[in-house]
Amino acid sequence: EEDGTVEGSLLKEDNIAEWFDKAVKYVAEQGGTWNQKGKLQLYGLRKYVLEGPNQGQLPPPRRFHTAARAKYNAWTLLGSSMTQKEAMQKYIDIVNSKALGWNAIQ
């Protein structure tokens, strides 16, 4: 059985999806406190978790749709080497590093 971590405590792999959902909810509620780079990184990871890696199944948005293009690039640049659970853990780790104690209020 593999374990993930949340603020240093071991977390059973079964709980990663639950922690991921809590982290997504927290970020959605606190969205204004994240910088653009952080939002894009989290967007890409969330999209990876929900839809898998972008392997060309969707064409990139047109250049003048800058926000949509930035989101597409954040998702695409993740490549395809992570598992869904690794992407969830990475998302949780980023939230932990930027919002210490977020999970204490959940």
Side-chain angles (χ1 to χ4, degrees), residues 8-99:
S9 63
L10 290 178
L11 180 62
K12 289 183 182 173
E13 194 168 321
D14 295 348
N15 294 338
I16 290 175
E18 181 182 330
W19 279 105
F20 173 76
D21 290 341
K22 288 179 181 183
V24 168
K25 182 179 177 186
Y26 176 82
V27 170
E29 291 170 356
Q30 305 294 324
T33 63
W34 296 84
N35 66 29
Q36 191 64 23
K37 182 179 176 184
K39 286 180 186 178
L40 287 172
Q41 190 175 22
L42 292 173
Y43 173 86
L45 286 165
R46 183 172 176 268
K47 185 92 167 170
Y48 193 102
V49 168
L50 298 176
E51 298 187 28
N54 182 8
Q55 299 177 324
Q57 65 266 40
L58 296 174
R62 296 180 186 248
R63 291 180 199 246
F64 54 85
H65 295 177
T66 56
R69 184 87 173 197
K71 289 178 176 182
Y72 180 89
N73 289 340
W75 176 37
T76 302
L77 290 173
L78 292 172
S80 61
S81 62
M82 281 189 288
T83 66
Q84 183 184 42
K85 288 183 180 177
E86 288 170 333
M88 287 180 183
Q89 185 64 56
K90 194 168 195 171
Y91 189 102
I92 294 165
D93 291 345
I94 291 169
V95 174
N96 282 339
S97 72
K98 303 291 185 190

